[in-house]
Amino acid sequence: MGYTLCVLGCGTMGIAILSGVVDSLEARTSTIRPPQPKWELHTSGTLTPVDSSEDASLPSRFIACVTRAESAQRLKGVLLALGPIGEKVEVVAGQNLESVKQADVVILCCKPQQAHSILSGQEMKEALAEKLLISILAGVTISQMSGWVLPSTTVIRAMPNTPCKIREGMTVVSELPESSDVYLQRSIILNIFSSIGRCRFLDEKHFDACTALSGSGPAFACIFLEAMADGGVMMGLPRAEALELAAQTLQGAARMTLQAGAHPAQIKDTVTTPGGCTIAGLLALEDGRVRSTIARAIQIATERASELGQPAK
């Protein structure tokens, strides 16, 4: 038998995660729709295991919690489009406690400043006892959340990013504490987050940097993408074609790094010929301190991420 998965605060990111898991299960069980091929393999060791009706690491029941009835109606519409499993997802409004009581695994997707009020009630603490709590909240540490729940609750942090909406996300998960259930819990986590992209386990001390790099990274990448397209427009390309060329170029370069294991500098050097246009453009980028500016952006975003979820000074 599978487990019951509850998503608390099923907003944009919660919907993306839930949709990914449901769609993954639909593809496994469908006799009509074969599993969609991925552009690339997941990180070694994070590929979703083969389906089994007896697999305890796969969810068999879903509960999605929102605050308002209107949100519940919209969410039901999204889930209905996912097929028979999506139709069975229970969407509830204002029933966090009742839902957690019925769950085995809980994903916390609320706003960081709401976490304490949601978790710290005595009834909620008891409802979370002996369960796996996965938080995707930026800046709220395991130490903080562990102080709000009972010691028997396993608290884990996960940091997915926006591209998980199209199953191309990057999720970083904190290391699991040693326990008799650690292998099952690891499989549960990998099944969830491998359904929306890549998944990697890292120590929690790296989470602020991960928030800046992969969480904020899509925004930084889009600045570069937009600038490349603008340059193409400046030189006479139509806007739509310039954007397509720039987007596909960045995607292709990224896939060469992920699939072939090529270092970015190696890819750069293969394109750069003596006295050519590429080296001329690279020197212009170096003149503009683009490399250090991007690196500093990650630094500043990391420092800001460390302040999120903390008490106001």
Side-chain angles (χ1 to χ4, degrees):
M1 292 293 292
Y3 64 91
T4 297
L5 176 64
C6 172
V7 180
L8 287 183
C10 198
T12 302
M13 196 60 73
I15 291 172
I17 295 171
L18 187 57
S19 297
V21 175
V22 169
D23 197 51
S24 175
L25 290 176
E26 287 283 5
R28 292 160 175 263
T29 58
S30 175
T31 57
I32 301 174
R33 179 167 66 105
Q36 295 298 308
K38 293 286 292 181
W39 280 99
E40 63 206 32
L41 294 176
H42 292 293
T43 304
S44 178
T46 66
L47 189 62
T48 305
V50 177
D51 184 28
S52 169
S53 59
E54 300 299 324
D55 193 341
S57 67
L58 295 174
S60 57
R61 182 187 176 198
F62 301 89
I63 307 174
C65 301
V66 294
T67 55
R68 300 187 301 272
E70 313 89 80
S71 300
Q73 285 301 117
R74 286 196 299 270
L75 180 53
K76 287 178 181 178
V78 172
L79 296 171
L80 283 174
L82 296 177
I85 297 179
E87 295 174 3
K88 295 178 182 178
V89 176
E90 301 166 41
V91 181
V92 298
Q95 299 181 37
N96 288 348
L97 180 59
E98 294 78 3
S99 300
V100 171
K101 286 180 178 179
Q102 301 173 59
D104 302 297
V105 177
V106 177
I107 303 180
L108 185 63
C109 303
C110 65
K111 295 178 180 179
Q113 60 268 29
Q114 297 174 330
H116 180 264
S117 61
I118 290 175
L119 299 178
S120 58
Q122 186 58 39
E123 287 186 298
M124 181 61 79
K125 288 183 178 181
E126 294 172 358
L128 285 167
E130 307 290 342
K131 296 176 180 178
L132 175 61
L133 174 64
I134 305 171
S135 166
I136 68 165
L137 311 185
V140 183
T141 66
I142 291 177
S143 176
Q144 285 177 287
M145 290 183 287
S146 295
W148 302 334
V149 299
L150 297 178
S152 62
T153 303
T154 301
V155 181
I156 293 298
R157 288 182 67 188
M159 185 56 59
N161 64 0
T162 302
C164 73
K165 296 178 183 178
I166 60 168
R167 318 289 193 264
E168 290 292 346
M170 181 69 236
T171 302
V172 178
V173 182
S174 60
E175 296 287 357
L176 285 157
E178 288 298 326
S179 72
S180 59
D181 296 325
V182 66
Y183 294 109
L184 174 59
Q185 291 173 343
R186 185 181 180 89
S187 294
I188 287 172
I189 291 168
L190 291 177
N191 279 337
I192 291 172
F193 294 108
S194 289
S195 71
I196 55 173
R198 286 175 171 254
C199 181
R200 172 69 69 181
F201 284 87
L202 279 176
D203 192 278
E204 189 191 15
K205 67 182 181 181
H206 299 300
F207 262 57
D208 291 332
C210 292
T211 299
L213 183 55
S214 64
S216 302
F220 304 151
C222 283
I223 288 288
F224 197 83
L225 170 59
E226 188 177 26
M228 288 180 66
D230 284 345
V233 172
M234 175 66 185
M235 300 316 295
L237 287 175
R239 169 66 65 179
E241 283 74 8
L243 187 58
E244 180 184 14
L245 266 64
Q248 180 59 37
T249 298
L250 289 181
Q251 178 177 242
R255 292 196 187 285
M256 288 179 73
T257 299
L258 289 172
Q259 290 182 326
H263 191 280
Q266 179 185 359
I267 300 172
K268 172 177 66 69
D269 288 348
T270 61
V271 182
T272 308
T273 56
C277 59
T278 303
I279 189 62
L282 287 172
L283 288 177
L285 290 175
E286 296 294 357
D287 289 343
R289 301 175 62 185
V290 170
R291 186 190 301 264
S292 62
T293 299
I294 294 172
R296 290 295 185 193
I298 301 300
Q299 178 188 3
I300 297 299
T302 299
E303 293 167 356
R304 176 56 182 154
S306 68
E307 300 171 357
L308 298 176
Q310 304 306 310
K313 294 182 181 179

